[in-house]
Amino acid sequence: EPNYIARALFVPNDTYYSYQWHLDNASKGGIQMEQAWDLQKGSSSVVVAVIDTGVAYENFLVFAQAPDLANTTFVAGYDFVEGDTHPNDDNGHGTHVAGTIAQSTDNGLGVAGVAFRTAVMPVKVLDAGGSGTYTQVAEGIYFAADNGADVINMSLGAPSASSTLEDALAYAYNKGVTIVCAAGNGKLQGNLPLYPAAYNAYCVAVGATRYDERRSYYSNTGSYLDIAAPGGD
């Protein structure tokens, strides 16, 4: 018979991993992350652009790198709010998103990221208040597509359609970039489609579920949604 290879099953040692029900919990809506990690933990050759409020990725002037991003791989990004090459986070949202994607993992600190060996490209298009123009968002998309991003993540949006935004999405999509967008948190405010997620020809639109595998009360619904994943509670 074949002499099969046994491998250690990967469970990270991050301090608060046991509280991350959304990663691996058969009874509470987890995404079977431990089984996935045994196959693939991500690769630094894969670049995920986080188009958001920036990321706490470096020590620069008044900004400091988030401790649990110290072992995360970053590639050069851009700040379309200030117009410079230091897309640091003055809000916190983009850092949270980047950590979910590729937080330094199995380092005995904080929590675990999903594809923690991938590289993150911080692209700042939203200001300290969490707002930015569609032009800034579009510029961020073009930048990511032209500078090696394989995946673009946008946890942002507004209920207005825009050819400026759609053209940028089409450009990135036609260059082979996978574009993942939040479907929106406006269910109780009228459940209006959120853009860019509603451009479903180009984007994977993601809604949010709770620990009981039900839709989070705030998460948008609609025909443009492609998938739901843990995001509430």
Side-chain angles (χ1 to χ4, degrees), residues 195-214:
Y195 297 91
Y199 287 119
N200 56 3
Y202 308 116
C203 303
V204 179
V206 185
T209 57
R210 306 173 68 231
Y211 62 87
D212 59 4
E213 299 186 301
R214 297 169 66 90

Side-chain angles (χ1 to χ4, degrees), residues 136-155:
Q136 289 169 323
V137 175
E139 288 175 335
I141 294 169
Y142 285 119
F143 177 90
D146 286 339
N147 288 276
D150 300 288
V151 179
I152 286 173
N153 183 91
M154 286 182 283
S155 297

Side-chain angles (χ1 to χ4, degrees), residues 39-151:
L39 299 174
Q40 178 61 263
K41 299 175 179 67
S43 167
S44 60
S45 65
V46 176
V47 176
V48 180
V50 176
I51 297 180
D52 211 290
T53 62
V55 178
Y57 74 103
E58 66 170 349
N59 296 312
F60 178 73
L61 300 178
V62 299
F63 297 99
Q65 183 182 66
D68 210 10
L69 292 177
N71 297 327
T72 300
T73 299
F74 291 98
V75 300
Y78 198 81
D79 182 344
F80 287 97
V81 176
E82 299 295 337
D84 60 40
T85 57
H86 295 279
N88 289 288
D89 190 357
D90 50 9
N91 174 278
H93 187 267
T95 298
H96 176 84
V97 171
T100 300
I101 296 167
Q103 192 118 342
S104 301
T105 298
D106 203 34
N107 62 343
L109 178 69
V111 295
V114 172
F116 55 87
R117 289 183 181 169
T118 57
V120 172
M121 175 190 293
V123 181
K124 183 175 175 64
V125 299
L126 306 179
D127 62 19
S131 298
T133 67
Y134 274 15
T135 297
Q136 289 169 323
V137 175
E139 288 175 335
I141 294 169
Y142 285 119
F143 177 90
D146 286 339
N147 288 276
D150 300 288
V151 179

Side-chain angles (χ1 to χ4, degrees), residues 179-184 194 196-200 202-207 223-228:
I179 306 166
V180 183
C181 303
L194 194 80
Y199 287 119
N200 56 3
Y202 308 116
C203 303
V204 179
V206 185
S223 61
Y224 67 95
L225 266 73
D226 296 297
I227 194 170

Side-chain angles (χ1 to χ4, degrees), residues 14 31 64 67 78 103 140 164 194 197 215:
D14 302 75
I31 60 174
Y78 198 81
Q103 192 118 342
T164 296
L194 194 80
R215 180 183 61 84

